[in-house]
Amino acid sequence: MERMLCPRVHFKCIIVDGAKAYFGSANLTGAGMGAKSERKRNFENGVLTDDPALVASLVEQFDSVWRGEYCRDCGRREHCGDPVA
């Protein structure tokens, strides 16, 4: 079964092996990460961490959305291609 992550997700997060994580405000594109040019970039922030508690919290945030914990009470179900509940 193919699943689509919730279309309401707006967090930007990369988790590597459950041990390191990056999270921040930038869209994960060349322009969002400042690769477009010095004069045409956004001002963003982000955190790179290997703190186990913080990484575990980010993993749980992602997993709870993936498990569909917010689907039943979501006010935007009509926009979801694959509601879980």
Side-chain angles (χ1 to χ4, degrees):
M1 170 178 74
E2 189 172 322
R3 295 243 342 255
M4 178 180 98
L5 189 59
C6 176
R8 293 176 53 203
V9 169
H10 198 248
F11 48 76
K12 289 84 169 187
C13 183
I14 298 170
I15 301 168
V16 180
D17 296 333
K20 293 185 180 187
Y22 164 83
F23 62 99
S25 64
N27 288 327
L28 302 178
T29 64
M33 300 300 286
K36 192 167 187 174
S37 79
E38 186 64 27
R39 296 184 69 204
K40 293 184 179 180
R41 64 179 180 81
N42 293 334
F43 297 105
E44 307 284 359
N45 65 14
V47 175
L48 180 62
T49 185
D50 60 359
D51 177 89
L54 191 49
V55 173
S57 178
L58 292 166
V59 168
E60 177 55 29
Q61 179 190 39
F62 180 90
D63 287 349
S64 68
V65 172
W66 186 257
R67 288 189 300 262
E69 291 183 14
Y70 303 97
C71 288
R72 188 169 317 282
D73 296 322
C74 178
R76 297 183 48 87
R77 283 181 67 100
E78 67 275 9
H79 300 287
C80 183
D82 188 14
V84 175

